[in-house]
Amino acid sequence: MRILLLEDDADAAERVRAALADIADLDLQVAGGVAEAVRYAAARPFDALILDRMVRDGDGLDALSQLRDLGVRTPALVLSNLSATRHRVEGLDAGADDYLVKPFEADELVARLRAMLRRGSTQGHPEVFLLGELEVRVKARTAHWRNRYLDLSPKEFDMLAFFAANHDLVVSRQMLWDACWPEYRIPPQMNVIDVNLSRLRAKIQAVAGLGLIETVRGQGFRLASGAAA
């Protein structure tokens, strides 16, 4: 289970990690501030978000509101010292699925996370990828670099969206073919892939002034680390 924790207190983060220790295949990513949490959650899929409210650069609800505005629907649990009814209402109004007050019991935290996931709120990928200066909106099928529009063909957009969704992986031609040309049940057509990839690279170069898709010799391609920073 991949979980993003927004928490700027190292001891508190460790208590959450300990509480979740028995969850199989736990992958806990910790963000210390609102901006960092938004960047992480918009760039890759998580099964759940755990958000503290009072962090170094604002309120965890600010992160949640920004993510909901971006179309990220990952289930979110607010974990906070703020315990008044109005605080709980604020959390739910901001788009949280649950609200748990500190100090908490480990069993209850795990139970609430599992209940959120059973409600079926989780999704495979976020609808928006924010990777450095690159923004890819999957549902709207638009892409921008520093707010400049990338005018892409449908297949070019499919390829860029696949690179964005797998920005931490090397993507082979076979993977591109399976993801972007699912209508063809034939072996990968290398020329078709390379022509579309060349056009995509040229359009990115024209707008961004640099190449964002790099070749990994003998393996395939990946989104350059500068885009995914």
Side-chain angles (χ1 to χ4, degrees), residues 65-143:
S65 294
Q66 290 179 49
L67 290 169
R68 294 304 189 234
D69 287 344
L70 288 170
V72 177
R73 300 297 174 221
T74 307
L77 182 148
V78 175
L79 187 61
S80 175
N81 289 313
L82 301 176
S83 58
T85 299
R86 66 180 179 86
H87 295 136
R88 297 171 185 264
V89 171
E90 288 169 355
L92 298 174
D93 283 347
D97 297 87
D98 204 349
Y99 196 109
L100 181 61
V101 175
K102 298 177 181 178
F104 60 89
E105 294 291 337
D107 289 346
E108 183 176 9
L109 175 60
V110 172
R112 285 174 180 256
L113 283 173
R114 288 175 173 160
M116 282 199 320
L117 297 178
R118 283 198 301 271
R119 289 196 288 268
S121 300
T122 190
Q123 60 182 30
H125 292 281
E127 294 180 357
V128 181
F129 293 97
L130 299 178
L131 304 168
E133 302 292 345
L134 178 66
E135 176 185 299
V136 181
R137 291 182 173 265
V138 178
K139 188 173 183 179
R141 294 185 64 79
T142 59

Side-chain angles (χ1 to χ4, degrees), residues 199-228:
R199 290 172 178 168
L200 172 60
R201 282 171 150 168
K203 289 181 178 181
I204 291 174
Q205 182 74 37
V207 173
L210 71 163
L212 298 183
I213 300 172
E214 58 189 21
T215 299
V216 180
R217 186 177 298 275
Q219 299 182 56
F221 314 92
R222 67 181 168 207
L223 203 62
S225 58

Side-chain angles (χ1 to χ4, degrees), residues 5-229:
L5 170 64
L6 171 57
E7 176 59 75
D8 63 353
D9 182 280
D11 291 338
E14 189 55 37
R15 284 193 291 274
V16 172
R17 186 183 298 277
L20 305 180
D22 290 336
I23 293 179
D25 300 319
L26 176 66
D27 180 1
L28 184 67
Q29 175 73 61
V30 180
V34 169
E36 187 179 19
V38 171
R39 185 170 72 250
Y40 284 153
R44 64 185 60 200
F46 287 90
D47 295 298
L49 309 175
I50 301 176
L51 308 173
D52 187 21
R53 291 204 53 177
M54 298 180 291
V55 292
R56 64 192 181 207
D57 61 347
D59 188 330
L61 297 188
D62 295 335
L64 183 57
S65 294
Q66 290 179 49
L67 290 169
R68 294 304 189 234
D69 287 344
L70 288 170
V72 177
R73 300 297 174 221
T74 307
L77 182 148
V78 175
L79 187 61
S80 175
N81 289 313
L82 301 176
S83 58
T85 299
R86 66 180 179 86
H87 295 136
R88 297 171 185 264
V89 171
E90 288 169 355
L92 298 174
D93 283 347
D97 297 87
D98 204 349
Y99 196 109
L100 181 61
V101 175
K102 298 177 181 178
F104 60 89
E105 294 291 337
D107 289 346
E108 183 176 9
L109 175 60
V110 172
R112 285 174 180 256
L113 283 173
R114 288 175 173 160
M116 282 199 320
L117 297 178
R118 283 198 301 271
R119 289 196 288 268
S121 300
T122 190
Q123 60 182 30
H125 292 281
E127 294 180 357
V128 181
F129 293 97
L130 299 178
L131 304 168
E133 302 292 345
L134 178 66
E135 176 185 299
V136 181
R137 291 182 173 265
V138 178
K139 188 173 183 179
R141 294 185 64 79
T142 59
H144 293 79
W145 174 264
R146 294 182 179 173
N147 296 319
R148 295 183 61 191
Y149 177 66
L150 293 170
D151 187 10
L152 305 178
S153 72
K155 286 302 180 187
E156 292 161 1
F157 179 84
D158 289 343
M159 296 177 82
L160 181 59
F162 188 71
F163 279 117
N166 297 277
H167 65 270
D168 51 351
L169 301 175
V170 175
V171 173
S172 68
R173 285 183 173 85
Q174 180 71 61
M175 292 167 67
L176 281 171
W177 181 258
D178 292 342
C180 302
W181 284 270
E183 66 272 26
Y184 297 115
R185 299 184 179 278
I186 56 177
Q189 304 300 293
M190 301 304 177
N191 184 59
V192 173
I193 297 171
D194 290 345
V195 167
N196 280 274
L197 183 58
S198 177
R199 290 172 178 168
L200 172 60
R201 282 171 150 168
K203 289 181 178 181
I204 291 174
Q205 182 74 37
V207 173
L210 71 163
L212 298 183
I213 300 172
E214 58 189 21
T215 299
V216 180
R217 186 177 298 275
Q219 299 182 56
F221 314 92
R222 67 181 168 207
L223 203 62
S225 58

